[in-house]
């Protein structure tokens, strides 16, 4: 019996399953990297294809990482007020390191560093962590939750016929719904103009008929 042991085992030991989920999260974040000159560039940014059960199991971990990174954004913006833009090793930079601004910058940025270390602990990839904090988290500042979606694929996996699914970030590959354009009645004025002479002609004809009857 598996009392209070939630989650899918995925046919793996606990250590193997933990490593698998870490790799899936890192792979999803790394699709957002600048892969212009990369031989193994991702086909679609912000999307990975895996089995349905793996996608459902890794989704909470992805959401957790994005939430942690998003909560550190206000502290990073506060630290930018005391940051130094000079090159490292320059006289201005050395002067800044001995000033009170460096102390304020270090204190303001402490939560950001703690969040980055927490993400590295969760997924074990520094490059994916940097992409998460620099690119992905900024995208969901005004979104309260639901950063990913799971889309089931119709074609099963070749070999064992496993159900495949797409795990992707919301807002990157969303479908744009377009409403049908309403028909324009710009030519209706011309139809009315053409109808007036016909009505006038009918009136003249009726008047002529009346005169004939009187005669």
């Amino acid at each position: 019996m598996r009392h209070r042991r939630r989650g899918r085992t995925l046919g793996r030991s606990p250590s193997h399953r933990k490593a698998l989920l870490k790799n899936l999260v890192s792979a999803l974040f790394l699709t957002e990297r600048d892969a212009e000159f990369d031989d193994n560039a991702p086909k679609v940014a912000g999307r990975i294809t895996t089995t349905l059960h793996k996608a459902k199991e890794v989704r909470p971990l992805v959401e957790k990482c994005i939430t942690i990174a998003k909560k550190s954004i206000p502290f990073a913006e506060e630290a930018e007020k005391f940051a130094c833009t000079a090159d490292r090793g320059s006289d201005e930079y050395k002067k800044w390191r001995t000033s009170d601004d460096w102390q304020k910058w270090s204190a303001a940025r402490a939560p950001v560093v703690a969040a980055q270390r927490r993400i590295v602990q969760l997924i074990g990839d520094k490059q994916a962590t940097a992409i998460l904090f620099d690119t992905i988290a900024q995208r969901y500042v005004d979104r309260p939750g639901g950063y990913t979606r799971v889309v089931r694929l119709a074609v099963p996996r070749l070999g064992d016929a496993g159900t495949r699914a797409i795990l992707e970030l919301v807002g990157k590959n969303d479908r744009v719904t377009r409403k049908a354009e309403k028909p324009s009645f710009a030519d209706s004025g011309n139809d009315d103009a053409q109808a007036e002479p016909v009505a006038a002609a009918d009136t003249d004809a009726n008047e002529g008929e009346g005169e004939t009857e009187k005669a």
Side-chain angles (χ1 to χ4, degrees):
M1 290 179 286
R2 302 178 65 247
H3 293 297
R4 300 176 65 87
R5 297 185 64 182
R6 64 181 180 85
R8 301 170 178 83
T9 58
L10 301 176
R12 291 167 172 81
S13 63
S15 60
H16 190 182
R17 183 170 58 253
K18 186 177 180 180
L20 170 68
L21 298 180
K22 283 184 176 183
N23 291 336
L24 287 175
V25 177
S26 300
L28 179 62
F29 292 159
L30 288 174
T31 57
E32 296 282 346
R33 70 185 187 276
D34 186 10
E36 183 179 358
F37 303 103
D38 196 346
D39 296 335
N40 190 23
K43 294 182 179 179
V44 180
R47 175 187 294 179
I48 59 172
T49 303
T50 180
T51 60
L52 179 64
H53 301 292
K54 291 178 184 177
K56 289 183 177 181
E57 189 68 19
V58 76
R59 185 179 182 183
L61 183 57
V62 176
E63 303 265 348
K64 181 178 181 179
C65 293
I66 296 177
T67 301
I68 293 174
K70 191 180 70 171
K71 287 182 178 180
S72 67
I73 292 177
F75 299 100
E77 293 176 352
E78 183 67 21
E80 287 295 328
K81 299 178 181 178
F82 310 103
C84 179
T85 58
D87 295 336
R88 192 180 185 90
S90 61
D91 296 338
E92 184 180 354
Y93 179 82
K94 292 178 181 179
K95 184 179 180 180
W96 173 74
R97 282 299 301 268
T98 57
S99 63
D100 294 337
D101 288 342
W102 183 82
Q103 297 291 341
K104 296 178 181 179
W105 175 85
S106 180
R109 189 168 170 77
V112 181
V113 176
Q116 291 175 345
R117 290 175 178 174
R118 175 60 176 158
I119 297 300
V120 172
Q121 183 184 16
L122 288 174
I123 65 178
D125 194 317
K126 292 184 178 181
Q127 183 182 2
T129 301
I131 294 173
L132 170 63
F133 278 82
D134 297 340
T135 306
I136 300 175
Q138 300 288 340
R139 192 184 306 160
Y140 303 111
V141 173
D142 299 329
R143 192 179 184 93
Y147 313 113
T148 58
R149 72 166 61 93
V150 177
V151 181
R152 186 195 299 256
L153 296 179
V155 181
R157 186 169 59 181
L158 185 64
D160 61 351
T163 305
R164 297 189 306 162
I166 291 175
L167 177 65
E168 63 180 359
L169 298 173
V170 174
K172 188 69 176 178
N173 305 301
D174 292 349
R175 295 180 180 179
V176 179
T177 57
R178 298 180 180 178
K179 295 183 179 180
E181 296 181 359
K182 295 182 179 179
S184 60
F185 299 96
D187 300 335
S188 60
N190 298 333
D191 296 338
D192 297 340
Q194 293 176 0
E196 290 177 357
V198 175
D202 294 341
T203 305
D204 296 341
N206 293 334
E207 292 178 354
E209 291 176 358
E211 294 175 356
T212 305
E213 292 176 357
K214 290 179 181 180

